[in-house]
Amino acid sequence: MREMPMCGIVGYIGDRNAVDVILDGLKRLEYRGYDSLGVAAFKDNKGYWWKDPGNFASVEFKIRKKVKKGDRGIGHTRWATHGKPSHQNAHPHFSCCEKFAIVHNGIIENHRDLRRRLSASGHKFRSETDSEVIAHLIEEHYQGSLLEAVRAAVAQLEGSYAIAVCHQDSDGLVAARNMSPLVIGVGENEYLAASDVPAILPYTKRVIYLADGQVAHLRREGIRLYGQTGSDEVSFEISTVEWEQEHAEKAGYPHFMLKEIYEQPEALKNTVESLIEVKSLDVRLPHLEVAEEFFKQLNKVYFVACGTAYHAGIVGRYALATLAPVRVSCDVASEFRYTPPYIDDKTLVVAISQSGETADTLAAVAEAKRRGARVITICNATGSSIVRNTDGVLYTRAGPEIGVASTKAYTTQLAVVVILATHIAQVCGHIDAAKREEILGWLLKIPELAKQTLEDDSVILEVADAFLSTTTFLYIGRRFNYATAFEGALKLKEISYIHAEGYGAGEMKHGPIALVQADYPTVAIATHGLVHEKMVSNIQEIKARGGPVIALTNPQDEETRELVDYVIEVPEVPEMLSPILNVIPLQLLAYHIALKKGLNVDQPRNLAKSVTVE
Ligand code: BG6
C-alpha cells in the first residue's frame, strides 16, 4: 500500500519525556490530516511503542498507557489513500529484530523490488506499506553505526521520503529527507525533527531546514549533518523562525480557518509594508536576485501554481497585462511542464506556493529551470524547498496557515502579484512614478479596508441559511474578478462539499446558463470596474431565467441592488485590487455553510494542506 505523503512525523532526543514532546508535536501537525498515529520511545536500551488507527481522542491514552517514557523517540500521523488504516499499517514500522524503528512521510517508488529482495534474504514484513522496507534495509546494513546504516539504506531508496529513525541500542536519532519536508529543531541540549515548524516551536525557534539528500544525526552532544555521498560532514545554517507559537494556535477561534480569515488585515499589512517603502512608495524586493536588466529584456512571463495559488496567478496575469505590454500567461503547474512551455533565457517564471512544498509546482520550477528560465517564487514559508530552488523570493507575510482551505495566504499573494507587476511595468518604463505611487498607495490602504469588509457578516449568514441544502452554486466574475469567481467556488467545494463552478460571466450564455434554475444560486462578483455594465446584463440574463442571485457590490450601487436577491457590500477600491477584498465574503460564506452542515472545516475530507507528491 502506498502512503499518501501528507503524514506528520516528529522525533525527539533530550532530557524531557520524549513521549510528551512527540505527542504534543503530532497534535500540532493534525492539520496535515491523518487516520492513524503511533509513537516509539527508547531509554536505557529498552524500547516501548504503540500505534493504532483512529484520532488523538481514541489512540492517545493507549499510547500513554503503553509508552510511558523515553529520552528519545519518534512519532507519526498517517494519512492513507489506498487500503485501510490498520494497526499493522500505522507507523512506526520495525525491523525483524524490532530494535530499529522508523517513521516515514513520502512514497518509496521502488518498494516492491526492495521488498522482494529483502524477503528473499529472510526479512518478514508485517504491513502492506511501502515505508516498512526502510526499517528492514537499515537492519540489513547495520554494523554498529546507526548513522551509516541509515545512509546506506536511503542510498537505495527511489522516491520521496522524510524519515526519522531510532535504534534500541544506539543513542541518538537519525533523520533524512528527499523531496519531502523535514526541519530540525535546535534546542538547549535537546533536538527535534519534524515535518513542519509548528511541532518544534514550543521548544525552540532555532531550526535547520534539511536539503534533499541530507542526513542528520541528532545526539545529546549535538547535531552532525551529512550529504548524500561521501563520509564528510557538511556545514549547516541555523535559521530563526519569525512567528510565535501562538500564531500556530487557534487563539480562541473555533477553527483555524476562521482565525486566518480574521487575520487577513494583519497579514496584508505585514506583507505590503515588507515590500513597499511607505514614505517613497518605492517597491523593495530584498530577497530577489534578479537584476532590473533582466526584466527589461523579458520576452514572456509565466505564473505557475496549484489550487488557490493558481487563482492568484490569474490576477497576476491580468495585472501585468494591464500595466505592461508583456506576453504573460498563467498555468496550472501539473499541466505546465507537460505542455511543453515555450521558454528561453529571456523568460521569467513566477511560481506561487503557500507551503513551498507542493510537488507539482516544484516539478514545474525544475522544468522551467531546465529550459533556461529565471524562476522566482511568491511563498509563505521560509526555508521551504521552492525558496531553495529558485532565483529569488517575494515573501507573503501571512504567518503559519493551518486551515487546509487557503485564505490569508491567498489575499497576501494577490497583493504581491500586483506589487511585482507594478515593479516590472515601472522598470520596463511602461508606467511612470505617479502610476506606481497610485497603485502602491492604494495597496497600503487595503489592510484597513479588509478590516471594514470583515465587520458585517449578517447577509452572509442569511445566504448560508437560505441555501444550506443547495446542491449546486455558480460563481461569475469578469477580468480581475474572473479569478475571484473560481476562488469563491473552490472555497465552497473544499469545505462544504457542495458542487460549485466558477465562470467568466461572459461565458455563461455559451453553455453554463443552461444550469440556471430556481434553486441554484449564482454569486455574482459585481464590484465596479471596466466591465461593470456587462456584469449587470449577465446578472439580468440569470434573473430572466429565474435564478437567484447573490451580488457582491460596492456601496451605492442601486442598479445592481434592485436586480438581485441578496447584496453583500464591499468597500470600493481600484479594480486591480478588488479581488483582495471581494474574496473575503466568499471565504466566510463557505465557512458558515460548512459549519452549519457540521463539517470539519479545518481538515476537510480528501484534502491536505500541501500535496508533496505529483
Ligand atoms: C492544496 C491546498 O493541497 O494545495 C490548497 O489544499 C492550496 O489550499 C494548494 O491552494 C496549493 O498549495 P501551495 O502550498 O502550493 O500554495
Side-chain angles (χ1 to χ4, degrees), residues 20 25 35-36 48 50 116-117 129 147 149 213 218 283 287 380 448 453 542 568 594 604:
D20 295 338
D35 52 48
S36 322
Y48 315 85
W50 189 257
R116 252 193 306 278
R117 191 164 56 71
T129 67
L147 171 68
L218 284 53
V283 172
H287 305 284
N380 196 45
E448 196 46 45
T453 309
I542 294 168
I568 299 169

Side-chain angles (χ1 to χ4, degrees), residues 148-261:
E148 290 315 320
V150 174
R151 295 186 72 196
V154 294
Q156 293 171 58
L157 301 179
E158 290 162 23
S160 61
Y161 59 81
I163 61 173
V165 184
C166 274
H167 179 221
Q168 186 167 313
D169 305 335
S170 316
D171 189 22
L173 184 153
V174 177
R177 72 153 289 170
N178 188 46
M179 298 195 293
S180 218
L182 191 68
V183 57
I184 303 293
V186 183
E188 298 299 321
N189 304 323
E190 59 180 3
Y191 303 96
L192 298 98
S195 300
D196 204 348
V197 166
I200 286 177
L201 273 184
Y203 309 97
T204 179
K205 293 180 78 173
R206 302 175 66 232
V207 298
I208 301 168
Y209 294 102
L210 276 196
D212 284 343
Q214 289 187 330
V215 177
H217 194 189
L218 284 53
R219 293 181 303 171
R220 259 156 258 288
E221 306 80 66
I223 292 179
R224 289 168 183 244
L225 221 56
Y226 301 83
Q228 198 137 24
T229 52
S231 60
D232 303 342
E233 275 181 62
V234 293
S235 64
F236 53 84
E237 187 200 325
I238 296 181
S239 319
T240 301
V241 176
E242 281 159 11
W243 28 274
E244 304 303 327
Q245 183 193 339
E246 53 273 9
H247 285 148
E249 288 162 2
K250 287 189 189 135
Y253 284 88
H255 298 101
F256 281 110
M257 183 179 180
L258 191 66
K259 172 185 171 244
E260 289 154 7
I261 289 174

Side-chain angles (χ1 to χ4, degrees), residues 78-392:
R78 174 177 179 246
W79 200 64
T81 56
H82 309 321
K84 63 187 183 322
S86 66
H87 176 77
Q88 285 75 17
N89 292 335
H91 295 219
H93 289 291
F94 298 88
S95 54
C96 295
C97 65
E98 289 203 14
K99 288 189 174 185
F100 297 95
I102 70 106
V103 289
H104 167 233
N105 174 30
I107 288 187
I108 307 301
E109 303 289 349
N110 61 339
H111 72 106
R112 286 190 190 78
D113 299 347
L114 293 170
R115 182 184 277 251
R116 252 193 306 278
R117 191 164 56 71
L118 289 160
S119 302
S121 65
H123 287 265
K124 295 272 174 295
F125 284 77
R126 301 179 189 84
S127 80
E128 304 159 281
T129 67
D130 55 333
S131 311
E132 189 186 347
V133 292
I134 305 169
H136 295 279
L137 266 179
I138 295 168
E139 178 178 41
E140 186 90 350
H141 290 281
Y142 184 71
Q143 291 162 341
S145 157
L146 177 62
L147 171 68
E148 290 315 320
V150 174
R151 295 186 72 196
V154 294
Q156 293 171 58
L157 301 179
E158 290 162 23
S160 61
Y161 59 81
I163 61 173
V165 184
C166 274
H167 179 221
Q168 186 167 313
D169 305 335
S170 316
D171 189 22
L173 184 153
V174 177
R177 72 153 289 170
N178 188 46
M179 298 195 293
S180 218
L182 191 68
V183 57
I184 303 293
V186 183
E188 298 299 321
N189 304 323
E190 59 180 3
Y191 303 96
L192 298 98
S195 300
D196 204 348
V197 166
I200 286 177
L201 273 184
Y203 309 97
T204 179
K205 293 180 78 173
R206 302 175 66 232
V207 298
I208 301 168
Y209 294 102
L210 276 196
D212 284 343
Q214 289 187 330
V215 177
H217 194 189
L218 284 53
R219 293 181 303 171
R220 259 156 258 288
E221 306 80 66
I223 292 179
R224 289 168 183 244
L225 221 56
Y226 301 83
Q228 198 137 24
T229 52
S231 60
D232 303 342
E233 275 181 62
V234 293
S235 64
F236 53 84
E237 187 200 325
I238 296 181
S239 319
T240 301
V241 176
E242 281 159 11
W243 28 274
E244 304 303 327
Q245 183 193 339
E246 53 273 9
H247 285 148
E249 288 162 2
K250 287 189 189 135
Y253 284 88
H255 298 101
F256 281 110
M257 183 179 180
L258 191 66
K259 172 185 171 244
E260 289 154 7
I261 289 174
Y262 281 89
E263 281 179 338
Q264 293 184 103
E266 186 200 344
L268 285 160
K269 187 171 182 336
N270 296 341
T271 300
V272 296
E273 293 185 3
S274 71
L275 297 171
I276 301 173
E277 198 62 65
V278 176
K279 288 206 179 59
S280 64
L281 289 177
D282 271 321
V283 172
R284 59 166 176 224
L285 305 174
H287 305 284
L288 205 63
E289 296 119 27
V290 176
E292 294 196 353
E293 292 331 298
F294 174 76
F295 289 133
K296 290 182 181 152
Q297 45 82 61
L298 272 179
N299 67 3
K300 169 82 189 208
V301 177
Y302 289 92
F303 287 93
V304 171
C306 299
T308 288
Y310 166 69
H311 297 146
I314 294 176
V315 173
R317 178 175 76 83
Y318 275 95
L320 190 53
T322 303
L323 296 173
V326 174
R327 282 181 298 171
V328 53
S329 70
C330 181
D331 295 64
V332 283
S334 49
E335 288 301 317
F336 174 80
R337 59 185 300 216
Y338 300 113
T339 310
Y342 172 81
I343 282 181
D344 62 21
D345 61 1
K346 293 190 177 50
T347 304
L348 174 69
V349 171
V350 183
I352 309 176
S353 176
Q354 186 284 127
S355 62
E357 299 293 351
T358 299
D360 284 329
T361 310
L362 288 170
V365 165
E367 180 63 16
K369 295 194 79 163
R370 196 179 67 74
R371 289 168 177 270
R374 299 302 294 275
V375 184
I376 63 175
T377 182
I378 296 174
C379 187
N380 196 45
T382 52
S384 61
S385 304
I386 210 166
V387 168
R388 278 181 280 115
N389 292 302
T390 47
D391 307 316

Side-chain angles (χ1 to χ4, degrees), residues 440-487:
L440 302 185
W442 266 107
L443 262 172
L444 289 170
K445 295 185 193 139
I446 285 282
E448 196 46 45
L449 293 165
K451 222 182 260 162
Q452 282 175 30
T453 309
L454 285 163
E455 271 159 13
D456 175 10
D457 62 0
S458 56
V459 179
I460 295 165
L461 290 168
E462 247 183 271
V463 172
D465 274 334
F467 298 106
L468 199 52
S469 55
T470 294
T471 56
T472 290
F473 260 79
L474 303 171
Y475 289 73
I476 58 173
R478 280 178 167 259
R479 277 176 38 96
F480 292 91
N481 286 296
Y482 173 90
T484 312
F486 283 82
E487 179 56 15

